[in-house]
């Protein structure tokens, strides 16, 4: 990351950032925001004008549209001048961190440089996501071994592609980026491209708009490794899937490594064509599951290394014991304990104190385990004045489709049940459930009535929409 030239604004920004992150409840939002925050390359401030520079134009846009106001309030809270104005800008001078720009000026280096400099929105790798920082446990040991296999022999057929799937916040992105970081360390000449499926699609759409398909194609076919995160967000778009399919084949034929992650197994990807799915399954598919107590504790120990003041063992044990579902939620709890310790380093962290401090996390966790699919179906049916049996039926009138899909959405986002169980309790296939969930997600953006119905139903369970995964 490029150093800020202005230390004071950097400190102010760091403080504002941690205040903001500590206010986020939804794991999904936290992940998204952190991803974009990692693209900030520098901050500067002069004459009360605070400028945030990002490594790509997309991130500047995203942060500006969604977060200007929030960041402004946090800068206020962090001690910034209340008249501060805020601007987000794409820093065109920055070398993109995940694009390998070799230091030696060998002919090889310059060709690699040429190849990589053509990228416009390759996303940076988080340097903290390394194998060293990844804690091994029974829930992830196969996926970890496969990732290490890729590092030992990138492009080798048994591991190509590598497809890692599992629930949110269980370490998929971490593991994928660890492959990238390690390979880059071992071989700085390797042209590595990491991006989310969403960004990939955006790139494609832009290329289409600007009649630059040829260069888009060439760009992706000349790299050494392609890592696509969250492929469940690949939309059903015949043209793009065709392009992806061809890119995929070209890379594979050239023995270039492909790594993908998703929250479901390839066969359960909702809108992906059959032939792509069979390609995804053609290498190695590994699942990451929820970690057990020992692994959770080991992860917390790792994450708390270097925190000052130190977090006592009993607090780590308390978190590992009470937050079981998501590593990311554990990290949130740890951060909260950290802030508390920093404010009062001498206070003793008794279990009672911890239970009060972490009550929101613990409450959420308890509710998660309590919520059953039947309960969700009954509550939704009541709200929409239909019968549960109608929700479970095959009838496709809109007055049934909406409550059916809404119930699926709630089950998927707010219960601890896996896709398999949800599908079976709705008497539907996996892909019907995923399609339903996606449909509700889309509708929630535009349909205020649906949103308020959902909020009302969630309130009955003691939830808000922002609590979702
Ligand atoms: P996913 O992509 O599966 O949603 P992430 O890779 O973003 O999850 O992981 C969420 C957080 O949990 C990250 O901060 C990551 O470092 C941490 N994490 C998950 N699993 C592990 C693990 N086994 N060891 C260390 N950290 C982990
Ligand atoms: Mg991820």
């Amino acid at each position: 990351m490029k150093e800020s030239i202005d230390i004071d604004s950097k400190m102010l920004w760091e403080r504002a950032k941690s205040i903001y992150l500590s206010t986020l409840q939804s794991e999904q939002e936290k992940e998204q925001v952190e991803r974009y925050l990692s693209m900030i390359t520098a901050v500067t401030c002069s004459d009360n004008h605070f400028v945030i520079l990002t490594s790509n134009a997309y991130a500047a846009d995203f942060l500006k549209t969604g977060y200007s106001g929030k960041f402004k309030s946090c800068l206020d809270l962090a001690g910034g001048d209340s008249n501060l104005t805020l601007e987000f800008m794409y820093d065109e001078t920055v070398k993109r961190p995940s694009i390998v720009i070799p230091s030696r000026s060998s002919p090889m280096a310059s060709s690699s440089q040429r190849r990589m400099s053509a990228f416009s929105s390759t996303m940076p790798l988080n340097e903290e996501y390394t194998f060293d920082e990844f804690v091994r446990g029974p829930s992830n040991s196969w996926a970890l071994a496969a990732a290490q296999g890729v590092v030992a022999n990138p492009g080798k057929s048994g591991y190509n592609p590598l497809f890692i799937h599992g629930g949110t916040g269980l370490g998929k992105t971490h593991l994928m980026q660890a492959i990238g970081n390690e390979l880059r360390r071992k071989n700085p000449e390797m042209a590595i491209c990491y991006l989310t499926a969403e960004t990939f699609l955006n790139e494609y759409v832009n290329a289409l708009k600007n009649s630059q398909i040829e260069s888009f194609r060439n760009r992706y076919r000349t790299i050494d490794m392609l890592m696509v995160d969250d492929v469940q967000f690949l939309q059903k778009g015949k043209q793009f899937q065709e392009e992806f399919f061809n890119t995929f084949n070209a890379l594979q034929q050239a023995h270039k490594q492909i790594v993908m992650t998703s929250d479901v197994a390839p066969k359960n990807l909702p809108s992906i064509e059959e032939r792509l799915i069979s390609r995804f399954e053609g290498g190695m598919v590994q699942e990451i599951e929820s970690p057990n107590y020992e692994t959770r504790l080991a992860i917390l120990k790792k994450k708390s290394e270097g925190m000052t003041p130190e977090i006592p063992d009993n607090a780590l044990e308390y978190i590992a014991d009470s937050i079981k579902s998501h590593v990311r939620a554990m990290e949130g709890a740890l951060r909260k304990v950290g802030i508390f310790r920093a404010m009062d380093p001498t206070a003793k962290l008794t279990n009672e104190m911890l239970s009060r401090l972490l009550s929101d996390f613990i409450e959420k966790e308890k509710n998660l385990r309590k919520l059953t699919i039947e309960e969700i179906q009954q509550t939704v049916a009541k709200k929409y004045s239909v019968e549960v049996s109608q929700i479970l039926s095959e009838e496709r009138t809109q007055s049934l489709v909406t409550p059916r899909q809404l119930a699926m959405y709630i089950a998927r986002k707010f219960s601890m049940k896996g896709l398999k169980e949800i599908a079976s309790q709705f008497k539907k296939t996996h892909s019907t459930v995923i399609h339903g969930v996606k449909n509700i997600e889309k509708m929630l953006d535009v349909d205020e009535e649906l949103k308020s119905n959902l909020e009302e139903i969630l309130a009955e369970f003691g939830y808000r929409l922002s609590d979702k995964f």
Side-chain angles (χ1 to χ4, degrees):
M1 197 187 269
K2 200 173 96 175
E3 264 306 298
S4 163
I5 45 168
D6 181 341
I7 298 302
D8 283 345
S9 19
K10 193 171 177 193
M11 270 172 54
L12 179 64
W13 171 242
E14 288 302 325
R15 241 180 288 151
K17 203 165 73 175
S18 33
I19 291 172
Y20 182 60
L21 287 173
S22 72
T23 65
L24 293 180
Q25 294 276 329
S26 145
E27 299 307 326
Q28 224 172 23
E29 184 173 18
K30 207 172 283 178
E31 181 181 10
Q32 191 177 37
V33 174
E34 277 176 350
R35 187 179 281 161
Y36 283 96
L37 287 178
S38 74
M39 293 181 208
I40 293 174
T41 54
V43 293
T44 60
C45 186
S46 68
D47 296 336
N48 275 343
H49 187 59
F50 198 90
V51 181
I52 295 177
L53 295 166
T54 64
S55 59
N56 74 47
Y58 192 65
D61 232 34
F62 176 86
L63 290 170
K64 183 173 148 198
T65 330
Y67 295 87
S68 293
K70 293 165 189 157
F71 289 163
K72 172 77 178 61
S73 322
C74 291
L75 283 164
D76 274 358
L77 284 171
D81 194 293
S82 58
N83 294 321
L84 219 59
T85 51
L86 192 56
E87 188 179 4
F88 293 90
M89 270 170 62
Y90 168 35
D91 181 356
E92 300 194 32
T93 64
V94 164
K95 293 179 184 170
R96 275 165 261 291
S98 74
I99 297 171
V100 186
I101 306 206
S103 47
R104 284 179 290 126
S105 54
S106 63
M108 168 71 189
S110 63
S111 90
S112 167
Q113 194 160 1
R114 248 199 324 275
R115 279 190 291 160
M116 298 313 291
S117 59
F119 280 79
S120 56
S121 69
T122 300
M123 299 166 94
L125 295 179
N126 182 338
E127 283 168 15
E128 284 165 27
Y129 286 168
T130 60
F131 285 113
D132 278 350
E133 294 297 317
F134 192 84
V135 174
R136 179 170 181 266
S139 56
N140 60 38
S141 59
W142 288 102
L144 175 59
Q148 285 167 331
V150 165
V151 169
N153 246 322
K156 193 177 154 197
S157 58
Y159 291 93
N160 200 16
L162 170 60
F163 192 104
I164 302 170
H165 67 100
T168 316
L170 296 181
K172 299 180 300 293
T173 297
H174 184 140
L175 204 50
M176 179 186 241
Q177 296 204 5
I179 298 175
N181 280 320
E182 184 64 14
L183 277 174
R184 185 205 283 173
R185 198 182 61 76
K186 278 175 65 174
N187 180 7
E189 313 257 285
M190 201 168 161
I192 295 171
C193 171
Y194 165 84
L195 75 188
T196 61
E198 218 180 348
T199 313
F200 201 10
L201 181 66
N202 282 336
E203 286 248 305
Y204 174 70
V205 171
N206 282 335
L208 267 185
K209 241 185 354 214
N210 305 324
S211 320
Q212 290 169 341
I213 280 299
E214 259 325 296
S215 81
F216 171 88
R217 214 164 268 163
N218 292 335
R219 239 158 44 208
Y220 285 101
R221 292 186 194 172
T222 49
I223 52 177
D224 297 320
M225 176 162 80
L226 176 64
M227 299 195 283
V228 188
D229 209 351
D230 290 326
V231 294
Q232 74 272 14
F233 292 124
L234 273 186
Q235 300 290 325
K236 198 170 194 107
K238 254 200 155 8
Q239 228 179 336
F240 179 64
Q241 293 204 11
E242 172 81 26
E243 195 62 45
F244 193 59
F245 184 75
N246 292 333
T247 303
F248 192 101
N249 287 344
L251 287 173
Q252 212 176 27
Q253 272 160 22
H255 303 289
K256 304 300 187 192
Q257 182 69 43
I258 299 162
V259 185
M260 286 170 289
T261 72
S262 150
D263 65 353
V264 289
K267 63 174 184 301
N268 296 326
L269 283 165
S271 37
I272 308 277
E273 288 170 21
E274 215 26 73
R275 59 180 185 160
L276 262 177
I277 289 177
S278 70
R279 280 289 189 287
F280 291 179
E281 286 171 334
M284 174 150 307
V285 178
Q286 289 296 352
E287 182 175 5
I288 301 188
E289 293 172 270
S290 295
N292 63 16
Y293 176 78
E294 284 73 26
T295 313
R296 294 199 298 276
L297 188 58
I299 292 174
L300 283 164
K301 288 219 160 110
K302 188 122 225 168
K303 299 274 176 195
S304 65
E305 274 168 16
M307 277 173 85
T308 47
E310 209 176 298
I311 309 291
D313 280 349
N314 77 303
L316 300 182
E317 284 156 16
Y318 188 89
I319 299 174
D321 193 44
S322 47
I323 303 176
K324 304 191 165 90
S325 45
H326 289 270
V327 179
R328 199 182 295 283
M330 288 188 340
E331 284 182 298
L334 181 64
R335 208 176 300 141
K336 192 155 185 189
V337 174
I339 292 174
F340 181 79
R341 286 283 284 170
M343 288 190 318
D344 187 357
T346 55
K348 196 162 162 31
L349 285 167
T350 59
N351 279 3
E352 200 202 330
M353 176 90 87
L354 286 163
S355 102
R356 244 182 302 136
L357 186 63
L358 301 177
S359 61
D360 45 346
F361 290 96
I362 293 165
E363 206 43 45
K364 204 151 121 187
E365 183 82 17
K366 271 197 207 136
N367 285 341
L368 280 178
R369 246 160 304 133
K370 262 195 340 225
L371 208 55
T372 66
I373 298 176
E374 289 91 343
E375 217 177 333
I376 296 170
Q377 291 167 344
Q378 280 159 9
T379 313
V380 174
K382 200 165 123 220
K383 175 85 197 158
Y384 280 82
S385 311
V386 297
E387 298 296 326
V388 171
S389 61
Q390 291 178 295
I391 284 190
L392 301 185
S393 73
E394 295 293 332
E395 237 180 288
R396 292 188 183 213
T397 53
Q398 201 52 46
S399 59
L400 290 177
V401 171
T402 303
R404 180 181 299 140
Q405 293 186 334
L406 191 62
M408 288 172 175
Y409 174 88
I410 297 173
R412 188 89 174 110
K413 299 286 176 182
F414 294 87
S415 83
M416 284 297 288
K417 310 293 186 238
L419 188 61
K420 203 165 147 189
E421 189 176 345
I422 297 173
S424 116
Q425 294 215 36
F426 276 90
K427 301 190 170 38
K428 299 286 177 301
T429 62
H430 291 188
S431 65
T432 304
V433 174
I434 294 174
H435 168 77
V437 171
K438 231 173 168 173
N439 202 27
I440 295 293
E441 268 168 355
K442 266 190 245 148
M443 280 162 59
L444 284 174
D445 284 339
V446 290
D447 188 338
E448 283 304 321
E449 191 188 337
L450 179 71
K451 200 163 169 176
S452 84
N453 283 346
L454 174 60
E455 287 284 14
E456 278 172 37
I457 295 166
L458 290 175
E460 291 200 27
F461 302 128
Y463 274 122
R464 284 168 315 177
L465 186 50
S466 58
D467 291 333
K468 74 171 186 288
F469 292 140

